[in-house]
């Protein structure tokens, strides 16, 4: 029933797709982390106007489908002079989409830190930057690990959408094999397993970091 | 510099929007004095204390720390404006607060909680900071807990660490904002003991507290606050034994009834 030779014959195609998916996700997620941090910094340091712009950014990128966003940029972009390769649109698109989510996760992490902790820092004479470095950022990251892992898993899965703008990633590779061989089950089963393995890896890494960094934070302080 | 008062309040007022919580308070606190502030909830006592280290801004009047105007600068026209952070930090460099909720940093060990601010604010090396931190932890009897985290300690121990953290900065003035209110009754004593030792060493202390017995025992002066003004003040014997104002009489008798009730179970 299953023809596994189909998979072994096309192993190199699948592996190239997998490698590209990993690359795009890794870059997209790193940029999302940076972007999310910058967004939050932008929101908190420039007053009311920047908070409003932040809200617009977040609601737009969280409130429209990722598919629509990359469609607009990849197919609509050339009409207004934005002509980038599919890979670039994919990475940047993933980063912009992810940034909106990551920024909100960071915001929740910062707001979970009690005001008293910040007041103690100020009372002892720490500057704002010192407080940020010593008190806020380490705790924010620790508290954010579980939601960040969840969102990262979602981003890895969302990256399959990039097949639609012809990025030759994992999904595209599986579709090509299916189209050429007229076999559906084998390539898509392997595809599902591959995403599952990737996201499992992310979750496990997250679990490990959670154990390592949050052991003292769950307590009643 | 000691001919200045430690803290001087001149007709201080503070509002949140239309709601005035501090309605013109003047107060002189000398170096080495222990002043307790008592009063019901909503009397403005915590707000007043928080104005003294500028965690709260004040709208009118002046607060002088060692003779220096706190938090504001006088412009040429006499109008005041917010002082730069650096100047306020400078004015407050000898003032430390101990909070009701301890406010230790949960991601750092006890030792780091005390030592890291020394590294950052006093520019000590890591080793010097830790040495000085250990001395303070010994002073509050918690040197053996140096490597543990705040969440592993009891409330009373956490509060003693918070006191050690403040002491490490070598303040001349310490503010205590209901330091025992969040503690289980059996843990109150250990914190009061540390505070009593401090007062005997000559630390200038301003204490907002519900521990009347303690206030009576350590204070040079007791202030009774009601509705944002000083309703009555004086030496403890006078305030607790011969209260003049009806509100203070009422406050003290309610307090006595309640402590009697809690003793009856």
């Amino acid at each position: 029933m299953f023809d596994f030779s189909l998979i072994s014959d096309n192993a190199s195609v699948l592996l190239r797709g997998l490698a590209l998916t990993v690359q795009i996700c890794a870059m997209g997620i790193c940029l999302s982390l940076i972007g999310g941090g910058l967004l939050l910094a932008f929101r908190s340091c420039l007053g009311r106007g920047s908070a409003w712009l932040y809200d617009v950014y977040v609601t737009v990128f969280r409130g429209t489908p990722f598919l629509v966003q990359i469609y607009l940029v990849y197919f609509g972009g050339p009409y207004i002079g934005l002509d980038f390769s599919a890979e670039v649109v994919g990475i940047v698109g993933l980063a912009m989409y992810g940034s909106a989510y990551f920024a909100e996760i960071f915001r929740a992490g910062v707001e979970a830190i009690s005001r008293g902790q910040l007041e103690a820092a100020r009372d002892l004479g720490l500057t704002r930057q010192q407080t940020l470095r010593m008190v806020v950022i380490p705790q924010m990251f620790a508290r954010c690990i579980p939601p960040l892992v969840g969102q990262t898993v979602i981003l890895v899965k969302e990256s399959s959408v990039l097949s639609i703008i012809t990025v030759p990633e994992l999904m595209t590779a599986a579709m090509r094999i299916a189209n050429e061989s007229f076999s559906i089950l084998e390539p898509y089963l392997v595809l599902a397993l591959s995403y599952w393995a990737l996201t499992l890896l992310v979750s496990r890494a997250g679990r490990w970091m959670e154990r390592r960094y949050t052991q003292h934070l769950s307590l009643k302080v | 510099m000691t001919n200045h008062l430690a803290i001087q309040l001149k007709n201080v007022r503070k509002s949140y929007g239309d709601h005035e919580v501090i309605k013109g308070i003047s107060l002189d606190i000398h170096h080495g004095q222990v002043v307790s502030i008592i009063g019901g909830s909503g009397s403005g006592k915590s707000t007043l204390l928080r104005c003294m280290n500028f965690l709260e801004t004040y709208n009118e009047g002046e607060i002088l720390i060692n003779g220096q105007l706190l938090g504001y600068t006088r412009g040429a026209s006499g109008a005041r404006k917010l002082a730069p952070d650096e100047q306020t930090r400078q004015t407050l460099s000898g003032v430390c607060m101990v909070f009701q909720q301890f406010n230790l940093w949960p991601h750092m060990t006890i030792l780091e909680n005390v030592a890291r601010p020394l590294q950052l604010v006093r520019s000590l090396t890591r080793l010097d900071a830790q040495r000085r931190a250990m001395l303070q932890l010994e002073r509050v009897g918690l040197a053996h807990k140096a490597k543990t985290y705040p969440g592993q300690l009891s409330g009373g121990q956490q509060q003693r660490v918070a006191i050690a953290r403040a002491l490490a900065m070598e303040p001349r003035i310490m503010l205590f904002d209901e330091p025992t209110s969040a503690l289980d009754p059996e843990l109150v004593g250990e914190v009061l003991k540390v505070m009593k030792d401090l007062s005997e060493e000559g630390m200038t202390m301003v204490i907002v507290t519900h521990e009347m017995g303690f206030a009576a025992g350590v204070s040079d002066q007791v202030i009774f606050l009601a509705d944002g003004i000083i309703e009555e003040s004086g030496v403890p014997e006078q305030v607790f034994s011969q209260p003049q104002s009806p509100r203070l009489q009422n406050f003290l008798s309610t307090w006595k009834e309640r402590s009697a009730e809690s003793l009856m179970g």
Side-chain angles (χ1 to χ4, degrees):
Chain A
M1 194 169 133
F2 287 102
D3 181 10
F4 286 106
S5 65
L6 190 64
I7 302 306
S8 48
D9 290 348
N10 289 290
S12 65
V13 179
L14 282 167
L15 282 175
R16 267 203 305 276
L18 180 67
L20 190 60
T21 287
V22 169
Q23 265 174 34
I24 287 178
C25 287
M27 287 170 80
I29 286 157
C30 286
L31 288 173
S32 294
L33 287 169
I34 297 167
L38 289 177
L39 269 173
L40 188 61
F42 171 75
R43 178 185 188 270
S44 40
C45 64
L46 292 173
R48 200 164 288 179
S50 67
W52 184 80
L53 283 172
Y54 171 91
D55 274 348
V56 170
Y57 183 93
V58 168
T59 49
V60 165
F61 279 91
R62 294 204 313 176
T64 56
F66 181 53
L67 178 61
V68 175
Q69 292 168 21
I70 56 167
Y71 243 75
L72 264 176
V73 177
Y74 187 67
F75 295 117
Y79 291 101
I80 53 169
L82 296 171
D83 202 354
F84 300 114
S85 75
E87 281 87 348
V88 169
V89 172
I91 292 169
V92 174
L94 213 55
M96 293 183 77
Y97 177 73
S99 297
Y101 282 94
F102 284 1
E104 283 290 277
I105 291 171
F106 289 154
R107 189 163 73 92
V110 169
E111 283 170 7
I113 298 171
S114 71
R115 242 178 72 135
Q117 286 188 43
L118 307 181
E119 288 183 346
R122 194 173 136 193
D123 178 70
L124 290 161
L126 274 79
T127 64
R128 264 174 223 208
Q129 288 91 323
Q130 287 171 334
T131 307
L132 204 63
R133 247 190 6 245
M134 189 185 88
V135 181
V136 178
I137 290 176
Q139 288 188 75
M140 180 192 82
F141 267 109
R143 281 172 206 275
C144 286
I145 291 169
L148 281 179
V149 169
Q151 191 57 46
T152 301
V153 164
I154 293 175
L155 286 179
V156 169
K157 293 189 294 178
E158 288 275 26
S159 73
S160 62
V161 166
L162 299 179
S163 60
I164 294 186
I165 57 165
T166 72
V167 178
E169 44 72 81
L170 190 56
M171 176 85 196
T172 311
M175 276 163 56
R176 209 181 96 194
I177 297 168
N179 289 341
E180 285 171 1
S181 67
F182 303 107
S183 307
I184 300 298
L185 221 43
E186 293 86 349
Y188 288 130
L189 209 59
V190 170
L191 180 67
L193 285 172
S194 307
Y195 278 114
W196 182 57
L198 272 182
T199 54
L200 201 66
L201 210 66
V202 172
S203 306
R204 281 292 146 85
R207 252 337 133 66
W208 178 81
M209 291 207 318
E210 200 182 329
R211 264 203 305 277
R212 177 135 168 38
Y213 293 107
T214 63
Q215 51 177 335
H216 307 294
L217 294 175
S218 54
L219 298 156
K220 63 198 182 285
V221 183
Chain B
M1 78 184 278
T2 40
N3 30 9
H4 287 300
L5 289 166
I7 305 178
Q8 186 174 28
L9 275 62
K10 294 181 186 168
N11 197 27
V12 172
R13 288 172 180 274
K14 160 82 185 168
S15 328
Y16 296 107
D18 290 336
H19 180 56
E20 193 170 39
V21 284
I22 304 290
K23 299 172 183 169
I25 285 185
S26 299
L27 180 64
D28 290 353
I29 299 172
H30 297 266
H31 282 287
Q33 252 193 337
V34 177
V35 176
S36 292
I37 304 177
I38 60 172
S41 62
S43 59
K45 54 191 192 308
S46 276
T47 306
L48 184 67
L49 193 75
R50 289 165 56 84
C51 284
M52 293 182 200
N53 70 346
F54 215 57
L55 286 178
E56 302 282 350
T57 57
Y58 50 100
N59 305 95
E60 273 178 58
E62 288 187 344
I63 297 178
L64 305 178
I65 308 285
N66 289 313
Q68 283 178 285
L69 179 62
L70 172 62
Y72 297 98
T73 49
R74 293 250 166 247
S77 60
R80 61 176 208 176
K81 63 175 206 289
L82 222 53
D85 282 353
E86 185 49 48
Q87 185 185 324
T88 304
R89 250 197 308 280
Q90 192 59 41
T91 309
L92 287 171
S93 64
V95 183
C96 277
M97 180 177 263
V98 173
F99 299 84
Q100 182 177 355
Q101 299 296 340
F102 333 129
N103 295 342
L104 298 178
W105 301 302
H107 60 300
M108 291 157 59
T109 64
I110 299 309
L111 183 64
E112 287 169 339
N113 263 274
V114 183
R116 288 291 300 279
L118 285 172
Q119 287 174 252
L120 293 172
V121 179
R122 297 278 188 262
S123 309
L124 296 188
T125 64
R126 204 174 110 97
L127 211 63
D128 285 344
Q130 295 198 342
R131 211 172 284 149
R132 203 152 122 188
M134 281 309 284
L135 285 178
Q136 295 305 331
L137 286 173
E138 267 164 37
R139 189 165 166 186
V140 299
L142 287 170
H144 61 294
K145 297 284 188 187
K147 293 276 183 278
T148 62
Y149 286 83
Q152 296 167 278
L153 300 187
S154 73
Q157 291 173 325
Q158 288 190 48
Q159 192 61 297
R160 282 150 61 198
V161 173
I163 292 173
R165 181 174 68 175
L167 284 173
M169 305 306 285
E170 298 181 333
R172 304 186 65 209
I173 301 170
M174 285 186 75
L175 311 175
F176 293 84
D177 188 7
E178 302 198 26
T180 58
S181 299
L183 298 179
D184 292 334
E186 75 271 19
L187 302 177
V188 170
E190 58 186 273
V191 172
L192 294 184
K193 163 95 176 45
V194 171
M195 290 171 62
K196 186 155 195 321
D197 292 347
L198 275 177
S199 73
E200 280 163 5
E201 286 163 28
M203 178 68 75
T204 310
M205 295 162 72
V206 185
I207 308 167
V208 168
T209 186
H210 293 291
E211 295 289 331
M212 300 303 160
F214 178 73
V218 301
S219 309
D220 298 300
Q221 195 187 358
V222 177
I223 312 271
F224 174 63
L225 229 59
D227 274 342
I229 57 163
I230 296 179
E231 178 83 7
E232 190 164 339
S233 73
V235 295
E237 299 78 41
Q238 181 197 325
V239 169
F240 288 116
S241 313
Q242 294 143 14
Q244 304 297 309
S245 101
R247 300 188 72 158
L248 177 55
Q249 289 165 1
N250 194 14
F251 176 77
L252 290 174
S253 66
T254 312
W255 175 74
K256 273 176 200 148
E257 274 164 35
R258 245 186 247 142
S259 2
E261 268 166 33
S262 68
L263 281 177
M264 313 275 278

